[in-house]
Amino acid sequence: MGATRKQEISAETRRRLVAAAWELAAEGGAAAASVQAVAERSGISRGSVAWHFGSKDGLLKAVVEEAFRWGTEFMGELLAAAGPQGGVEALIEANFALMSRPEARIYSTLLIEAVSRDSALRATYAEEYAKIRGLYADHLRAAGARVADPEAVAAALLGGTLGINIQHRLDPGLDRRRAVTAMTGIYTDALSDTEPRAPSDT
């Protein structure tokens, strides 16, 4: 078997393991994505997890990275389609569209574990959220948003959408569409000022 074919098989094995762990973790958190469960779901031997990822933690880290890569690309495509004229509304709507996808359940199920100080996923989540904030800030700049600190506004926007999504996971009866529409109204009104709002220490 040639080297190229071996690489293709290795890449496919890795993809299937990540996909199986993603599905299991989205359904029941990290505990549901045991090495045995991942092996059964993927149809690949348990030893392949250690071979490709070192450990279960390594596999979950790969899942988080892949989930955020997918999410960032998904939102990036929507923002590109909306163009700079989409403004802050396009950011909020892109997040709403992403979190409406069933695959996006992975973010909140693993976030619970990532916030633990000794979590193996903590640093990965922090790095990926920093990338999302960068995406938001870049869009705000391109849109000519009247804000003095795009990075801070990006953090506030991400915090708002994240909070709505977590509440909806805890209480599916929450009208997420209504909450997102209200949030959009607040931001569009605030950013329609003729002068940028400077950060306040109070």
Side-chain angles (χ1 to χ4, degrees):
M1 185 182 297
T4 301
R5 180 56 181 155
K6 288 181 180 179
Q7 291 171 349
E8 291 174 352
I9 293 174
S10 179
E12 176 61 14
T13 297
R14 191 180 192 282
R15 185 199 65 76
R16 286 170 56 188
L17 289 170
V18 168
W22 185 331
E23 292 174 0
L24 289 164
E27 293 165 6
S34 66
V35 172
Q36 181 62 37
V38 170
E40 292 175 358
R41 178 69 64 95
S42 65
I44 297 172
S45 67
R46 294 179 45 152
S48 291
V49 172
W51 175 262
H52 286 276
F53 305 99
S55 64
K56 174 184 172 180
D57 284 345
L59 173 58
L60 289 177
K61 182 176 183 292
V63 168
V64 171
E65 291 171 343
E66 177 61 17
F68 274 94
R69 183 200 61 75
W70 165 74
T72 301
E73 287 185 358
F74 182 92
M75 286 197 297
E77 290 174 1
L78 292 178
L79 292 175
Q85 64 272 21
V88 69
E89 182 176 358
L91 282 172
I92 298 173
E93 286 299 318
N95 181 277
F96 180 82
L98 172 65
M99 297 307 295
S100 296
R101 296 285 297 268
E103 304 98 308
R105 288 173 59 90
I106 190 71
Y107 300 122
S108 53
T109 54
L110 290 182
L111 174 61
I112 296 170
E113 320 201 14
V115 296
S116 172
R117 187 169 297 278
D118 59 352
S119 170
L121 300 178
R122 185 183 179 96
T124 304
Y125 257 80
E127 291 168 4
E128 297 299 337
Y129 275 136
K131 294 176 186 176
I132 297 294
R133 292 195 301 272
L135 175 69
Y136 278 29
D138 288 344
H139 181 78
L140 289 170
R141 291 190 190 93
R146 294 180 176 278
V147 292
D149 190 345
E151 285 78 13
V153 174
L157 276 167
L158 180 57
T161 53
L162 182 61
I164 291 172
N165 293 326
I166 289 175
Q167 290 180 75
H168 184 257
R169 281 300 308 274
L170 293 171
D171 178 11
L174 174 72
D175 189 337
R176 196 164 65 92
R177 174 72 271 176
R178 183 180 173 190
V180 167
T181 299
M183 180 179 176
T184 301
I186 292 169
Y187 271 93
T188 53
D189 287 348
L191 299 182
S192 66
D193 289 349
T194 56
E195 295 296 333
R197 296 189 176 196
S200 172
D201 294 330
T202 59

